[in-house]
Amino acid sequence: MNDLVQIQNLIYVIRNKQVMIDRDLAELYGVKTMVLNQAVKRNIERFSGDFMFRLSKDEANELITNCDRFKTLKHSPTTPYAFTEHGVAMLSSVLNSKKAVEINIQIVRAFIQLRQYAIEHRDLARRLDDLEHYFIEHCKDNKADIQELKQAIDMLIDRTKPTQIGFKTD
């Protein structure tokens, strides 16, 4: 599996934002989670609420439930931080290492690729939906053909819908 795909698998949707968890970022950067979080706290003015936030206990529990690799967080007294794409970009400036810069470039590319994928597939799904409506309006007389065409379009739409990455919490 290439590096971009591996990084994309570490991106979750929490609070309707694509984020990465502090623990995963620390592992990518080759530092302990505590070291990463200390660097952030020393430079907290760089991490506004739209760059980083601490998960609620319910969000952390859902993350633990959905991702086996987070089981060790189950009894942790603190919840992890989640970093948006901009927060991840800011991390390279506070970690001050060549590896942090290299990893950040890969992470930003992964976010860009996910965004592009969603845009491309959203447009295709919309076009197929438009095509379905056109045939329904213009081919009212032959219901068997319409039904067959509708089934084919539904199958294509299901395959082209953007997939939700991670999970969503209220």
Side-chain angles (χ1 to χ4, degrees):
M1 194 179 330
N2 74 35
D3 290 341
L4 281 180
V5 172
Q6 286 177 329
I7 291 170
Q8 287 173 350
N9 290 334
L10 301 176
I11 298 173
Y12 301 94
V13 175
I14 302 174
R15 299 183 193 173
N16 291 322
K17 296 179 182 192
Q18 290 183 330
V19 297
M20 294 185 76
I21 305 302
D22 57 2
R23 178 179 173 176
D24 291 334
L25 289 164
E27 187 175 320
L28 288 170
Y29 295 133
V31 299
K32 292 183 179 187
T33 306
M34 182 179 71
V35 170
L36 182 138
N37 288 333
Q38 285 174 344
V40 169
K41 287 176 186 173
R42 281 193 301 269
N43 297 278
I44 197 66
E45 69 280 356
R46 296 178 187 222
F47 295 92
S48 61
D50 56 333
F51 285 16
M52 174 196 83
F53 55 89
R54 186 177 285 283
L55 298 183
S56 70
K57 193 66 176 163
D58 288 340
E59 290 167 336
N61 287 337
E62 189 167 346
L63 183 67
I64 293 163
T65 300
N66 290 318
C67 304
D68 288 340
R69 59 195 178 78
F70 290 115
K71 292 279 188 214
T72 58
L73 296 175
K74 189 172 187 171
H75 301 292
S76 175
T78 61
T79 59
Y81 285 106
F83 292 85
T84 65
E85 179 178 356
H86 300 293
V88 169
M90 193 59 71
L91 281 173
S92 66
S93 68
V94 300
L95 291 175
N96 293 327
S97 75
K98 184 177 179 180
K99 183 172 185 173
V101 172
E102 291 170 0
I103 294 296
N104 270 30
I105 290 169
Q106 291 178 359
I107 291 170
V108 169
R109 285 183 178 146
F111 274 106
I112 290 168
Q113 193 174 46
L114 285 173
R115 192 170 28 256
Q116 187 62 36
Y117 178 84
I119 289 168
E120 288 171 3
H121 285 79
R122 187 178 326 133
D123 184 52
L124 181 58
R126 183 190 50 76
R127 286 178 170 184
L128 288 170
D129 194 43
D130 291 346
L131 182 63
E132 177 183 8
H133 291 298
Y134 172 83
F135 275 99
I136 288 172
E137 275 190 35
H138 292 89
C139 303
K140 293 178 183 174
D141 297 335
N142 195 341
K143 293 192 182 218
D145 288 344
I146 292 172
Q147 188 59 31
E148 191 174 315
L149 178 64
K150 183 176 177 349
Q151 287 173 346
I153 290 173
D154 286 345
M155 185 177 72
L156 288 171
I157 288 173
D158 284 343
R159 290 183 182 170
T160 59
K161 282 183 183 171
T163 57
Q164 183 74 17
I165 297 168
F167 61 91
K168 197 173 181 180
T169 61
D170 294 328

